[in-house]
Amino acid sequence: MRKLISTGSPFEKAAGYSRAVVQGDWCFVSGTTGYNYATMSMPETVETQTRNCLATIAKALQDGGFEMADVVRAHYYITDATFVDIVFPILGEAFGEIRPAATMIVCQLNKPEMKIEIEVTALKRTA
């Protein structure tokens, strides 16, 4: 069974993607930036952007019948290496006990105001 999850963001329709796709016991969450979807604005700090990413991801997982504890893989994309020490504690709050396999890459993102993008894969736990 395939289920498409949407946040209602205009970006999803414009770019032709789903926030998440559930396929069987798997949930694939698209790269998620730190937009505040209530105001359609991007916060200035990487801390706030990171927390927004995680909240959007948690909601997409929940909408698909998953939990953050189901995350088995995470990719973090940051635009500046100095952000590593800033975002690590925030990521630790979310994933410290879950400890998914993870990769962090320093790169350029689609818009200059974007400082972080997070993408996760979840597998429904059987126990």
Side-chain angles (χ1 to χ4, degrees), residues 17-78:
Y17 73 96
S18 295
R19 172 61 43 215
V21 175
V22 176
Q23 182 72 46
D25 289 338
W26 292 91
C27 183
F28 304 90
V29 181
S30 294
T32 304
T33 60
Y35 274 102
N36 175 333
Y37 288 106
T39 63
M40 285 308 294
S41 63
M42 183 64 76
E44 288 188 27
T45 69
V46 71
E47 296 94 333
T48 303
Q49 287 188 28
T50 303
R51 291 186 193 288
N52 285 358
C53 291
L54 294 168
T56 300
I57 289 167
K59 174 78 167 77
L61 288 168
Q62 180 182 28
D63 289 351
F66 291 77
E67 301 175 16
M68 289 291 274
D70 294 321
V71 173
V72 295
R73 184 76 170 121
H75 293 121
Y76 310 112
Y77 306 95
I78 56 174

